[in-house]
C-alpha cells in the first residue's frame, strides 16, 4: 500500500503541492479564531458540588457582587496606617468609582487590618461567563493607570491583585511566552538540522512545510471547538506549536534518512523516494496512530480542559501525518539530491561510528544493557513518590515581580491569605419554610469555628429567604494545599453536618473548584491511563503481529514515564521552590511520553524485525538495528526534546514544568528506552518476542537461526559519524 502511495505522490508531485497550498488558503481564510479559557469551573461536570453551588448563586443571588480585584494600600515607609491614611483610602476609592470605568460596578473601601499595616478596597465586577471576554482585564489596566496619580501627595503606596489582576498579568506573560516559544522552536530546529545535515535546504524545509500546516491545524481545531463546544486551556497554542514542529520534524527526519539510505544503495532520486515511503510509511503511520489514540483518550477525561486538548492535538498530529506521507515526499522528490546541497556526504557511508559500537555492545551483552537501563529509569522513578499537585495555575506561574503578586504578598501582611478569593457557602431550605435569621446566624457561628477559617461575613438572605449566602475567608492562600485540605476535610463536612434540619449546605468558590478538580483528576488517572495504554498496545500488536512485544514495549514506556515524573518532581519541588507540579501535568506527561516514546520504539522494533527477516540472529538483529536506526532516533529525539524545551523560555513556571518534563521524557524515550532497553530486551527474548505472528521470519518463510554468539553487524546503510554524537552529514 505504501509503495503505491509513494509512486502516486512522486508521479503527481506538483498536483499534491498545489492541493496543499489551496487547502491551506481555504482553511486559514474561513476558519474561526482559536479561543482559550482560564475559568477552571467551566472545566468540571455539573454534578460536582462547586458547580452546584455556582448554580445556587446564579438562581438565588443573580446580582451578587463578584470581587474581581482588590486594591491593597500600605504606607510607603512600611509603618502603621494613620487615620489620615485611611481617609485617603476612602477618598481614592470614591474618586476611582466616580471615573465609571467599564465593568467596575463598585469600589468599597474596607477596614484597616488589625495590625494597622494594610487596608483594602474591594472592586466588584460582573461574573465572567465568556472565556474570550477581557473586559475585566481592561478594567484592571485602567484602574492601575488611574491609581498612580491618586497616590501623589499621600504617604501611601498601592497595588492591585485578585483574579482579574492575575489574569491580566498572566495574559501579558503569555504573549511574551508565545513569541519566545515560537522563535525558540524554529531556531532550535534550524540549528540542529544544520549541524546534522549541513544543508540549509533541509534546515529550512520543516520550517516552511510545517509553517504551512500550523495555521491549518489551528483553523481546523478552532472549527472543531466551535462545532463541538470545546474549550482549550491557556497554554494550548504554545503546546500546539511545539507538537507540530517537533512531531513534524521527526516524521520528516524518518523519511529523509531512509531516502538517503536508498540513494546510497544506488537508486535514482524518484525511486529512492518511493522506497523511503514504502519502508517508513507503516512505521510513521503506526507511530502517529499511537499518538492520536493517546490524545483521543483524553476525551474520556472529566475535565473540559483536557477533553478539548486531546482532540485538538490529535487533529494536529493527523494533519502532520498526512503531510509527512504526501506533501514532504512530493517536495523532496522535486528537489532530488539538491535537498542535501551543498553537502556531498549523502553519497558515501562513514564507518566505525559510535552507533555501530553501541550496537555491537548490545549484541554481545544484551542482559547488561537491559538491566542498566531499567535500573537507571527505576531509580529516577522513585522521585515520583514525592509528587505533589499544584492548582494555582495563575499565581504560581507568574513572576514574583508582577504587580498582582507583589500586592498579594503585601495583603498577607495584615489579612488572611484567602481574602482575594473568598469561599462561598450556601444554606438552602429543602422545604417550603423560609430560613430564619436565628438559623442563619447559628450556622455562621458553626462555620467560623472550623479550623482553617479566618473570617465569616454576615449572612445575606435571598429575597424569598430560601437561601443564605456566606462569604468565608480562609486562613491560607486559596490555591494552597492547606486551603484545599480545609475545604475538603473540614469546611465541607462541617457545613453538611451542621446544616439545620430541613436545609442543605453547598460549598463553592475557587478553592472548592480546585478540590473538585483534584477529585476529577484522580478519576481520570484510573480511566485515561489504562485506555490510552490499551489502545497503543492494540496498535503495536497489529503492527508487529505479536502478543508478546506490546507488553514489554509498554513496560519500557511505563518506566520512562515514572523516570520523567520523578526527575521533574525532584527538580521543581525538592531542588527548586515550587509548591508542586501543575495538577494536569502527569496526564499530559503520560500521554506524550507513552505516545511519542512509542514512536521511537516502533521505529527501532520495525528495523529490528527487518534485520531479523534478513536471517540475522536475535542478538545480531538488535545490534544492527541500533547501528542503522540509532542516528535517526538520536537526531529525532534531540530535535523533539529541544522543541519542547523551548517552553522553558516562557518565564512561566507552569510552562517551564511542562517544557522540562516533556523534553526530558523524550530524551529518555529516545536514548534509553528505544536505543538501549527495547533492543536489548528483544534480543534476550529472541524469537518468542514475535509470537504468534512470527514477524521475524524471512520473507521466504524461514526464520533467522540463532547463533551461539553474536556475529559482526552487517555493513551499515544508516550509520552515524565516527564519534557517535550525531548522525552522518
Amino acid at each position: 500500500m505504501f509503495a503505491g502511495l509513494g509512486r502516486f505522490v512522486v508521479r503527481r508531485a506538483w498536483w499534491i503541492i498545489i492541493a496543499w497550498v489551496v487547502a491551506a488558503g481555504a482553511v486559514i481564510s474561513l476558519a474561526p479564531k482559536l479561543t482559550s479559557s482560564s475559568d477552571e469551573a467551566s472545566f468540571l461536570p455539573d454534578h460536582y458540588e462547586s458547580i452546584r453551588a455556582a448554580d445556587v448563586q446564579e438562581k438565588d443571588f443573580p446580582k451578587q457582587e463578584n470581587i474581581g480585584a482588590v486594591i491593597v494600600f500600605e504606607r510607603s515607609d512600611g509603618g502603621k496606617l494613620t487615620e489620615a491614611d485611611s481617609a485617603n483610602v476612602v477618598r481614592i476609592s470614591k474618586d476611582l468609582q466616580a471615573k465609571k470605568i467599564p465593568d467596575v460596578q463598585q469600589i468599597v473601601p474596607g477596614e484597616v487590618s488589625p495590625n494597622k499595616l494594610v487596608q483594602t478596597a474591594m472592586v466588584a465586577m460582573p461574573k465572567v461567563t465568556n472565556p474570550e471576554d477581557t473586559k475585566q482585564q481592561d478594567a484592571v489596566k485602567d484602574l492601575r493607570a488611574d491609581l498612580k496619580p491618586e497616590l501623589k501627595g499621600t504617604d501611601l503606596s498601592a497595588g492591585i491583585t485578585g483574579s482579574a489582576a492575575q489574569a491580566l498579568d498572566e495574559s501579558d506573560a503569555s504573549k511574551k511566552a508565545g513569541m519566545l516559544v515560537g522563535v525558540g522552536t524554529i531556531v532550535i530546529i534550524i540549528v540542529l538540522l544544520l549541524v546534522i545535515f549541513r544543508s540549509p535546504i533541509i534546515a529550512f524545509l520543516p520550517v516552511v512545510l510545517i509553517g504551512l500546516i500550523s495555521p491549518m491545524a489551528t483553523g481546523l481545531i478552532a472549527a472543531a471547538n466551535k462545532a463541538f463546544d470545546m474549550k482549550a486551556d491557556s497554554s494550548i497554542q504554545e503546546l500546539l506549536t511545539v507538537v507540530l514542529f517537533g512531531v513534524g520534524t521527526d516524521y520528516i527526519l524518518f523519511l529523509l534518512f531512509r531516502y538517503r539510505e536508498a540513494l546510497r544503495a544506488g537508486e535514482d532520486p524518484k525511486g529512492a523516494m518511493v522506497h523511503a515511503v514504502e519502508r517508513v510509511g507503516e512505521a510513521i503511520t503506526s507511530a502517529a496512530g499511537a499518538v492520536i489514540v493517546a490524545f483521543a483518550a483524553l476525551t474520556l477525561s472529566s475535565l473540559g480542559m483536557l477533553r478539548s486538548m486531546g482532540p485538538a492535538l490529535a487533529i494536529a498530529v493527523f494533519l502532520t501525518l498526512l503531510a509527512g506521507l504526501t506533501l514532504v515526499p512530493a517536495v523532496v522528490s522535486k528537489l532530488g539530491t539538491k535537498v542535501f546541497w551543498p553537502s556531498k556526504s549523502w553519497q558515501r557511508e562513514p564507518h566505525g561510528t559510535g552507533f555501530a559500537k553501541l550496537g555491537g555492545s548490545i549484541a554481545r551483552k544484551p542482559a547488561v544493557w537491559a538491566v542498566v537501563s531499567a535500573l537507571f529509569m527505576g531509580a529516577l522513578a522513585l522521585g515520583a513518590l514525592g509528587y505533589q499537585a499544584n492548582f494555582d495555575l495563575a499565581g504560581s506561574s507568574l513572576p514574583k515581580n508582577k504587580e498582582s503578586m507583589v500586592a498579594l504578598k503585601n495583603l498577607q501582611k495584615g489579612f488572611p491569605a484567602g481574602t482575594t478569593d473568598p469561599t462561598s457557602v450556601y444554606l438552602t431550605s429543602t422545604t417550603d419554610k423560609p430560613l430564619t435569621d436565628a438559623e442563619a446566624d447559628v450556622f455562621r457561628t458553626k462555620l467560623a469555628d472550623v479550623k482553617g477559617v479566618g473570617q465569616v461575613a454576615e449572612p445575606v438572605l435571598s429575597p424569598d429567604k430560601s437561601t443564605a449566602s456566606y462569604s468565608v475567608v480562609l486562613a491560607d492562600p486559596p490555591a494552597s494545599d492547606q486551603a484545599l485540605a480545609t475545604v475538603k476535610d473540614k469546611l465541607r463536612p462541617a457545613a453538611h453536618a451542621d446544616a439545620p434540619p430541613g436545609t442543605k449546605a453547598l460549598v463553592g468558590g475557587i478553592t472548592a473548584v480546585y478540590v473538585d478538580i483534584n477529585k476529577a483528576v484522580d478519576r481520570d488517572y484510573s480511566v485515561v491511563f489504562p485506555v490510552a495504554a490499551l489502545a497503543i498496545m492494540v496498535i503495536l500488536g497489529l503492527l508487529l503481529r505479536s502478543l508478546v512485544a506490546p507488553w514489554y514495549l509498554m513496560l519500557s514506556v511505563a518506566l520512562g514515564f515514572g523516570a520523567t515524573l520523578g526527575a521533574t518532581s525532584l527538580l521543581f519541588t525538592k531542588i527548586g521552590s515550587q509548591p508542586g507540579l501543575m495538577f494536569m501535568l502527569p496526564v499530559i506527561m503520560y500521554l506524550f511520553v507513552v505516545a511519542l516514546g512509542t514512536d521511537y520504539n516502533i521505529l527501532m522494533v520495525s528495523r529490528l524485525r527487518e534485520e531479523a527477516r534478513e536471517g540475522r540472529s536475535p542478538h545480531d538483529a538488535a545490534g544492527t538495528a541500533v547501528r542503522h536506526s540509532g542516528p535517526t532516533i538520536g537526531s529525532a529525539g534531540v530535535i523533539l526534546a529541544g522543541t519542547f524545551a523551548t517552553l522553558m523560555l516562557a518565564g512561566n513556571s507552569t510552562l517551564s514544568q511542562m517544557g522540562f518534563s516533556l523534553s526530558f521524557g523524550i530524551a529518555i524515550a529516545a536514548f534509553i528506552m528505544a536505543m538501549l532497553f527495547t533492543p536489548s530486551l528483544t534480543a534476550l527474548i529472541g524469537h518468542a518476542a514475535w509470537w504468534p505472528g512470527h514477524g521475524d521470519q524471512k520473507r521466504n518463510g524461514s526464520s533467522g537461526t540463532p547463533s551461539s554468539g553474536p556475529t559482526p553487524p552487517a555493513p551499515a546503510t544508516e550509520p552515524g559519524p565516527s564519534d557517535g554524537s550525531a548522525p552522518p552529514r
Side-chain angles (χ1 to χ4, degrees):
M1 182 182 77
F2 290 101
L5 175 63
R7 286 191 293 270
F8 176 83
V9 170
V10 168
R11 289 171 183 171
R12 295 168 176 80
W14 281 119
W15 287 108
I16 297 291
I17 295 170
I18 292 171
W20 271 96
V21 172
V22 171
V27 171
I28 294 168
S29 60
L30 298 176
K33 182 182 178 183
L34 181 65
T35 62
S36 62
S37 171
S38 58
D39 180 9
E40 285 85 352
S42 68
F43 301 140
L44 284 167
D46 294 339
H47 64 269
Y48 282 95
E49 183 172 343
S50 58
I51 306 303
R52 288 187 285 131
D55 292 339
V56 170
Q57 178 196 332
E58 292 180 8
K59 174 179 174 290
D60 295 331
F61 302 93
K63 295 183 180 180
Q64 186 176 48
E65 293 177 343
N66 173 59
I67 304 302
V70 179
I71 308 175
V72 182
F73 295 90
E74 63 176 348
R75 283 188 60 87
S76 302
D77 58 10
K80 293 185 177 181
L81 294 167
T82 65
E83 290 186 5
D85 294 328
S86 293
N88 280 325
V89 170
V90 174
R91 175 189 60 79
I92 292 172
S93 300
K94 289 181 178 178
D95 289 348
L96 292 175
Q97 175 75 50
K99 294 182 182 294
K100 299 188 181 299
I101 297 172
D103 262 42
V104 174
Q105 296 173 321
Q106 196 173 6
I107 301 178
V108 181
E111 298 293 328
V112 181
S113 65
N115 59 11
K116 306 290 186 181
L117 293 178
V118 180
Q119 188 169 358
T120 61
M122 299 295 180
V123 182
M125 295 179 170
K127 180 177 174 60
V128 177
T129 56
N130 180 4
E132 292 186 271
D133 190 352
T134 60
K135 292 178 182 177
Q136 291 196 4
Q137 297 178 34
D138 295 335
V140 172
K141 193 180 297 183
D142 292 339
L143 279 171
R144 286 175 173 173
D146 293 337
L147 179 60
K148 290 180 181 178
E150 293 287 344
L151 294 171
K152 290 182 178 178
T154 71
D155 296 322
L156 297 172
S157 62
I160 302 179
T161 188
S163 57
Q166 286 188 344
L168 173 62
D169 290 341
E170 186 181 18
S171 176
D172 290 341
S174 295
K175 289 177 182 176
K176 296 176 183 177
M179 182 182 68
L180 284 171
V181 169
V183 173
T185 298
I186 292 172
V187 168
I188 283 178
I189 289 175
I190 291 173
V191 170
L192 289 176
L193 286 177
L194 276 173
V195 170
I196 293 168
F197 287 98
R198 295 179 182 173
S199 167
I201 296 177
I202 291 180
F204 283 94
L205 186 64
V207 176
V208 174
L209 296 184
I210 301 169
L212 176 71
I213 298 168
S214 181
M216 285 184 69
T218 302
L220 290 174
I221 292 167
N225 282 349
K226 186 175 182 180
F228 302 105
D229 193 29
M230 297 193 309
K231 299 178 179 67
D233 79 291
S234 58
S235 66
I236 186 65
Q237 190 63 60
E238 288 79 15
L239 192 57
L240 187 62
T241 298
V242 295
V243 166
L244 282 167
F245 278 93
V247 174
T249 303
D250 268 10
Y251 294 165
I252 291 174
L253 277 178
F254 294 168
L255 195 71
L256 284 175
F257 273 105
R258 271 300 180 129
Y259 178 59
R260 185 175 64 182
E261 179 181 336
L263 289 172
R264 286 173 173 172
E267 294 199 39
D268 66 277
K270 292 187 182 299
M273 181 50 65
V274 174
H275 174 88
V277 174
E278 178 187 8
R279 288 303 179 95
V280 300
E282 185 180 27
I284 290 177
T285 302
S286 300
V291 178
I292 289 169
V293 299
F295 288 155
L298 283 176
T299 57
L300 300 175
S301 170
S302 56
L303 295 176
M305 175 186 350
L306 296 178
R307 260 199 325 272
S308 61
M309 180 186 294
L313 296 178
I315 289 170
V317 173
F318 180 72
L319 195 64
T320 305
L321 171 64
L322 290 181
L325 293 176
T326 57
L327 179 60
V328 176
V331 171
V332 175
S333 69
K334 283 301 176 186
L335 291 172
T337 57
K338 295 184 182 68
V339 74
F340 299 105
W341 180 88
S343 174
K344 300 292 185 181
S345 62
W346 63 271
Q347 299 172 342
R348 59 187 182 275
E349 301 174 4
H351 297 281
T353 69
F355 288 108
K357 295 176 183 177
L358 176 62
S361 179
I362 289 175
R364 290 189 301 272
K365 302 175 181 178
V368 172
W369 284 106
V371 170
V372 168
S373 55
L375 287 177
F376 175 77
M377 291 187 287
L380 284 177
L382 293 176
L385 298 176
Y387 165 74
Q388 196 165 353
N390 175 36
F391 294 85
D392 188 7
L393 298 187
S396 66
S397 64
L398 285 173
K400 300 304 179 185
N401 60 354
K402 285 290 185 180
E403 181 174 332
S404 59
M405 301 305 293
V406 174
L408 178 61
K409 185 177 180 180
N410 291 335
L411 174 71
Q412 294 174 13
K413 294 177 182 177
F415 289 104
T419 302
T420 56
D421 280 303
T423 292
S424 302
V425 179
Y426 299 97
L427 183 66
T428 304
S429 173
T430 57
T431 66
D432 294 334
K433 293 176 57 179
L435 294 174
T436 65
D437 291 338
E439 286 177 324
D441 288 338
V442 169
F443 188 67
R444 173 178 178 265
T445 302
K446 296 288 182 65
L447 294 177
D449 289 340
V450 174
K451 187 176 181 181
V453 169
Q455 299 171 354
V456 181
E458 293 288 338
V460 177
L461 291 174
S462 61
D464 62 359
K465 294 191 176 183
S466 64
T467 303
S469 171
Y470 301 84
S471 180
V472 179
V473 175
L474 302 178
D476 301 295
S480 66
D481 290 336
Q482 295 86 348
L484 268 66
T486 296
V487 169
K488 178 185 176 184
D489 301 327
K490 299 171 185 175
L491 184 58
R492 269 185 176 169
H496 296 163
D498 294 335
T503 67
K504 67 176 180 180
L506 294 173
V507 178
I510 193 63
T511 305
V513 168
Y514 290 145
V515 169
D516 290 340
I517 286 178
N518 195 13
K519 184 178 180 181
V521 169
D522 288 342
R523 175 263 178 198
D524 288 349
Y525 289 161
S526 64
V527 175
V528 175
F529 282 20
V531 168
L534 180 62
I536 292 174
M537 287 183 68
V538 169
I539 289 177
L540 289 171
L542 293 174
L543 170 67
L544 303 174
R545 283 81 170 173
S546 167
L547 294 178
V548 176
W551 286 98
Y552 67 82
L553 292 178
M554 290 307 297
L555 171 64
S556 73
V557 294
L559 282 171
F561 167 74
T564 303
L565 181 59
T568 307
S569 295
L570 289 172
L571 179 63
F572 286 94
T573 63
K574 303 301 180 184
I575 299 174
S577 58
Q578 291 296 314
L581 301 182
M582 178 180 60
F583 69 89
M584 63 179 179
L585 186 61
V587 177
I588 298 173
M589 188 189 303
Y590 174 83
L591 293 172
F592 274 94
V593 173
V594 169
L596 297 178
T598 302
D599 274 15
Y600 300 138
N601 269 344
I602 286 174
L603 194 68
M604 178 59 74
V605 173
S606 295
R607 189 62 187 245
L608 196 153
R609 180 182 61 182
E610 188 177 324
E611 298 302 331
R613 284 174 173 173
E614 296 298 324
R616 292 186 174 88
S617 70
H619 285 215
D620 289 345
T624 308
V626 170
R627 178 172 181 165
H628 286 182
S629 294
T632 310
I633 293 174
S635 301
V638 168
I639 289 176
L640 189 57
T643 56
F644 279 123
T646 59
L647 290 170
M648 300 176 70
L649 299 173
N652 174 314
S653 66
T654 298
L655 290 177
S656 293
Q657 290 176 9
M658 191 180 297
F660 172 80
S661 63
L662 296 182
S663 60
F664 186 84
I666 293 302
I668 289 285
F671 294 98
I672 306 298
M673 287 162 45
M675 214 172 291
L676 301 179
F677 187 78
T678 294
S680 59
L681 202 56
T682 304
L684 286 173
I685 296 173
H687 185 59
W690 309 99
W691 183 86
H694 303 309
D696 60 336
Q697 288 181 332
K698 292 183 70 174
R699 296 190 184 277
N700 62 8
S702 62
S703 61
T705 303
S707 59
S708 58
T711 58
T717 55
E718 193 70 282
S722 58
D723 62 357
S725 60
R729 295 176 283 275

